[in-house]
Amino acid sequence: MPTRSLVLLAASLLTGCLAVLVLVQDSDLLLLREHLNHPFALGVLACALMTLGALGLRWRWVRTTIIILAGLGASAALFVGLIATALTATEEVGFVDGPAPYRVRLQQSAAGLGPDAIMRLSIRKDDGLHSREWYLGCFSGDDPADAFDSVRWTGPSSVEIRVVDGRTFPVALDPVSGRPRTTASVDC
Protein backbone atom coordinates (compact mmCIF):
# COMPACT_ATOMS: atom_id res chain seq x y z
CA MET A 1 0.00 0.00 0.00
CA PRO A 2 1.48 3.40 -0.97
CA THR A 3 2.50 5.78 1.80
CA ARG A 4 0.24 8.50 0.38
CA SER A 5 -2.82 6.25 0.78
CA LEU A 6 -1.88 5.39 4.36
CA VAL A 7 -1.45 9.06 5.26
CA LEU A 8 -4.75 10.02 3.66
CA LEU A 9 -6.62 7.15 5.34
CA ALA A 10 -5.08 8.09 8.72
CA ALA A 11 -6.06 11.73 8.15
CA SER A 12 -9.57 10.56 7.28
CA LEU A 13 -9.77 8.58 10.52
CA LEU A 14 -8.54 11.53 12.59
CA THR A 15 -10.97 13.93 10.89
CA GLY A 16 -13.84 11.50 11.51
CA CYS A 17 -12.86 11.24 15.20
CA LEU A 18 -12.73 15.05 15.41
CA ALA A 19 -16.23 15.23 13.87
CA VAL A 20 -17.60 12.81 16.49
CA LEU A 21 -15.77 14.63 19.31
CA VAL A 22 -17.18 17.99 18.23
CA LEU A 23 -20.67 16.49 17.98
CA VAL A 24 -20.69 15.00 21.49
CA GLN A 25 -18.37 17.32 23.45
CA ASP A 26 -19.40 20.92 24.11
CA SER A 27 -16.62 23.39 24.89
CA ASP A 28 -16.95 26.79 26.50
CA LEU A 29 -13.92 28.07 24.56
CA LEU A 30 -15.41 30.41 21.98
CA LEU A 31 -12.64 29.89 19.41
CA LEU A 32 -13.29 26.13 19.33
CA ARG A 33 -17.07 26.49 19.39
CA GLU A 34 -17.31 28.98 16.53
CA HIS A 35 -14.63 27.54 14.24
CA LEU A 36 -14.61 23.79 14.89
CA ASN A 37 -18.27 23.16 15.71
CA HIS A 38 -19.07 21.82 12.25
CA PRO A 39 -19.36 18.05 12.69
CA PHE A 40 -21.18 17.44 9.41
CA ALA A 41 -18.63 19.39 7.37
CA LEU A 42 -15.85 17.49 9.12
CA GLY A 43 -17.67 14.24 8.28
CA VAL A 44 -17.79 15.19 4.59
CA LEU A 45 -14.08 16.06 4.71
CA ALA A 46 -13.32 12.68 6.32
CA CYS A 47 -15.21 10.92 3.51
CA ALA A 48 -13.36 12.94 0.85
CA LEU A 49 -9.99 12.08 2.41
CA MET A 50 -11.03 8.43 2.56
CA THR A 51 -11.89 8.50 -1.15
CA LEU A 52 -8.54 10.08 -2.04
CA GLY A 53 -6.73 7.52 0.10
CA ALA A 54 -8.62 4.64 -1.50
CA LEU A 55 -7.62 5.71 -5.03
CA GLY A 56 -4.08 4.43 -4.39
CA LEU A 57 -5.12 0.99 -3.16
CA ARG A 58 -4.02 -2.02 -5.19
CA TRP A 59 -7.13 -4.21 -4.96
CA ARG A 60 -9.91 -2.94 -7.15
CA TRP A 61 -12.79 -4.38 -5.08
CA VAL A 62 -11.48 -2.78 -1.85
CA ARG A 63 -10.97 0.52 -3.63
CA THR A 64 -14.50 0.42 -5.11
CA THR A 65 -16.10 -0.57 -1.80
CA ILE A 66 -14.37 2.23 0.13
CA ILE A 67 -15.26 4.82 -2.50
CA ILE A 68 -18.93 3.75 -2.51
CA LEU A 69 -19.10 3.78 1.31
CA ALA A 70 -17.37 7.17 1.45
CA GLY A 71 -19.82 8.58 -1.12
CA LEU A 72 -22.79 7.27 0.88
CA GLY A 73 -21.31 8.67 4.09
CA ALA A 74 -20.68 12.08 2.55
CA SER A 75 -24.21 12.16 1.12
CA ALA A 76 -25.70 11.24 4.51
CA ALA A 77 -23.58 13.86 6.31
CA LEU A 78 -24.62 16.56 3.82
CA PHE A 79 -28.31 15.63 4.07
CA VAL A 80 -28.38 15.47 7.89
CA GLY A 81 -26.29 18.65 8.08
CA LEU A 82 -28.72 20.55 5.85
CA ILE A 83 -31.71 19.37 7.90
CA ALA A 84 -29.97 20.24 11.18
CA THR A 85 -29.01 23.66 9.86
CA ALA A 86 -32.56 24.37 8.71
CA LEU A 87 -34.06 23.38 12.06
CA THR A 88 -31.47 24.94 14.35
CA ALA A 89 -30.47 28.11 12.49
CA THR A 90 -30.01 31.01 14.87
CA GLU A 91 -30.04 34.72 14.18
CA GLU A 92 -27.76 37.06 16.07
CA VAL A 93 -29.97 39.63 17.81
CA GLY A 94 -27.25 41.57 19.56
CA PHE A 95 -25.21 42.05 22.71
CA VAL A 96 -25.81 43.78 26.02
CA ASP A 97 -22.51 45.13 27.26
CA GLY A 98 -21.60 44.60 30.88
CA PRO A 99 -18.53 45.27 32.95
CA ALA A 100 -15.46 44.63 30.79
CA PRO A 101 -14.78 41.99 29.44
CA TYR A 102 -18.30 40.54 29.81
CA ARG A 103 -21.31 40.80 27.48
CA VAL A 104 -24.67 39.05 27.21
CA ARG A 105 -25.19 37.53 23.77
CA LEU A 106 -28.75 37.30 22.41
CA GLN A 107 -29.66 34.77 19.71
CA GLN A 108 -33.08 34.00 18.29
CA SER A 109 -34.23 30.87 16.49
CA ALA A 110 -37.47 29.32 15.32
CA ALA A 111 -39.20 26.87 17.67
CA GLY A 112 -39.29 23.80 15.43
CA LEU A 113 -41.45 24.34 12.37
CA GLY A 114 -43.89 26.73 14.04
CA PRO A 115 -44.05 30.52 14.08
CA ASP A 116 -42.86 30.84 17.69
CA ALA A 117 -39.39 32.10 18.48
CA ILE A 118 -36.87 30.97 21.06
CA MET A 119 -34.45 33.48 22.57
CA ARG A 120 -31.14 32.06 23.80
CA LEU A 121 -28.90 34.07 26.09
CA SER A 122 -25.28 33.45 26.96
CA ILE A 123 -22.53 35.21 28.88
CA ARG A 124 -19.50 36.00 26.76
CA LYS A 125 -16.08 36.81 28.19
CA ASP A 126 -13.89 38.43 25.53
CA ASP A 127 -10.24 37.49 26.12
CA GLY A 128 -8.63 36.94 22.71
CA LEU A 129 -7.84 33.26 22.08
CA HIS A 130 -9.14 32.41 25.56
CA SER A 131 -12.59 33.95 24.97
CA ARG A 132 -15.31 31.90 26.61
CA GLU A 133 -19.08 31.69 26.37
CA TRP A 134 -21.51 30.05 28.81
CA TYR A 135 -25.21 29.27 28.54
CA LEU A 136 -27.32 31.77 30.51
CA GLY A 137 -30.93 31.01 29.62
CA CYS A 138 -33.59 30.16 27.08
CA PHE A 139 -37.07 31.63 26.66
CA SER A 140 -39.78 30.34 24.34
CA GLY A 141 -42.54 32.43 22.79
CA ASP A 142 -45.16 29.62 22.96
CA ASP A 143 -47.03 31.57 25.62
CA PRO A 144 -46.76 35.32 24.91
CA ALA A 145 -46.48 36.05 28.65
CA ASP A 146 -43.36 33.85 28.89
CA ALA A 147 -41.54 35.47 25.96
CA PHE A 148 -38.22 37.22 26.56
CA ASP A 149 -38.49 40.97 27.17
CA SER A 150 -35.12 42.31 28.32
CA VAL A 151 -31.86 41.66 30.11
CA ARG A 152 -29.84 44.08 32.21
CA TRP A 153 -26.75 44.04 34.35
CA THR A 154 -27.58 44.65 38.02
CA GLY A 155 -23.99 44.56 39.23
CA PRO A 156 -20.49 43.51 38.23
CA SER A 157 -21.37 39.83 38.66
CA SER A 158 -25.16 39.65 38.33
CA VAL A 159 -27.70 39.79 35.52
CA GLU A 160 -31.48 40.12 35.59
CA ILE A 161 -33.63 38.66 32.82
CA ARG A 162 -37.22 39.87 32.40
CA VAL A 163 -40.10 38.21 30.54
CA VAL A 164 -43.13 39.98 29.04
CA ASP A 165 -45.44 39.42 32.04
CA GLY A 166 -42.96 41.20 34.33
CA ARG A 167 -41.37 38.22 36.07
CA THR A 168 -37.62 38.52 36.58
CA PHE A 169 -34.93 35.89 36.79
CA PRO A 170 -31.80 37.03 38.66
CA VAL A 171 -28.64 35.16 37.70
CA ALA A 172 -25.44 35.41 39.75
CA LEU A 173 -22.09 35.02 38.03
CA ASP A 174 -18.92 33.64 39.53
CA PRO A 175 -16.85 36.79 40.23
CA VAL A 176 -13.58 35.10 39.18
CA SER A 177 -14.49 33.14 36.02
CA GLY A 178 -17.74 34.86 34.95
CA ARG A 179 -19.54 31.50 34.61
CA PRO A 180 -23.21 31.70 35.63
CA ARG A 181 -23.93 29.99 38.94
CA THR A 182 -27.54 29.37 37.86
CA THR A 183 -29.43 29.59 34.60
CA ALA A 184 -32.97 30.64 33.65
CA SER A 185 -35.29 28.83 31.29
CA VAL A 186 -38.99 29.04 30.39
CA ASP A 187 -40.57 26.44 28.05
CA CYS A 188 -37.30 25.41 26.42
Side-chain angles (χ1 to χ4, degrees), residues 15-65:
T15 306
C17 290
L18 180 61
V20 170
L21 182 66
V22 166
L23 188 63
V24 299
Q25 181 67 32
D26 192 25
S27 173
D28 60 0
L29 278 174
L30 198 58
L31 182 70
L32 293 178
R33 182 183 295 163
E34 288 185 349
H35 298 291
L36 285 181
N37 194 13
H38 304 289
F40 302 110
L42 288 170
V44 170
L45 177 62
C47 291
L49 289 171
M50 186 182 303
T51 300
L52 290 174
L55 290 176
L57 294 177
R58 191 175 338 153
W59 297 303
R60 185 178 182 161
W61 67 272
V62 173
R63 181 176 54 232
T64 305
T65 303

Side-chain angles (χ1 to χ4, degrees):
M1 183 179 300
T3 305
R4 178 177 174 260
S5 291
L6 283 175
V7 170
L8 286 170
L9 291 173
S12 170
L13 181 64
L14 289 174
T15 306
C17 290
L18 180 61
V20 170
L21 182 66
V22 166
L23 188 63
V24 299
Q25 181 67 32
D26 192 25
S27 173
D28 60 0
L29 278 174
L30 198 58
L31 182 70
L32 293 178
R33 182 183 295 163
E34 288 185 349
H35 298 291
L36 285 181
N37 194 13
H38 304 289
F40 302 110
L42 288 170
V44 170
L45 177 62
C47 291
L49 289 171
M50 186 182 303
T51 300
L52 290 174
L55 290 176
L57 294 177
R58 191 175 338 153
W59 297 303
R60 185 178 182 161
W61 67 272
V62 173
R63 181 176 54 232
T64 305
T65 303
I66 290 175
I67 290 172
I68 289 171
L69 290 175
L72 290 172
S75 299
L78 281 172
F79 179 72
V80 172
L82 287 173
I83 298 296
T85 300
L87 294 177
T88 62
T90 59
E91 176 186 344
E92 193 79 37
V93 176
F95 290 91
V96 176
D97 290 331
Y102 299 103
R103 302 189 291 170
V104 175
R105 183 180 188 185
L106 307 171
Q107 294 177 309
Q108 187 172 359
S109 64
L113 298 174
D116 299 325
I118 293 178
M119 183 67 76
R120 287 181 169 72
L121 290 84
S122 56
I123 293 288
R124 186 173 185 159
K125 179 182 180 184
D126 293 321
D127 190 18
L129 292 175
H130 299 288
S131 294
R132 296 187 180 277
E133 187 171 63
W134 299 283
Y135 174 79
L136 182 59
C138 177
F139 298 88
S140 177
D142 285 345
D143 182 359
D146 293 336
F148 172 80
D149 182 47
S150 65
V151 61
R152 68 182 182 101
W153 289 85
T154 57
S157 60
S158 60
V159 175
E160 182 180 80
I161 304 167
R162 180 178 300 274
V163 292
V164 172
D165 71 358
R167 288 178 291 157
T168 59
F169 299 90
V171 178
L173 309 177
D174 183 281
V176 176
S177 70
R179 180 186 296 266
R181 291 186 174 163
T182 60
T183 58
S185 180
V186 177
D187 295 334
C188 286

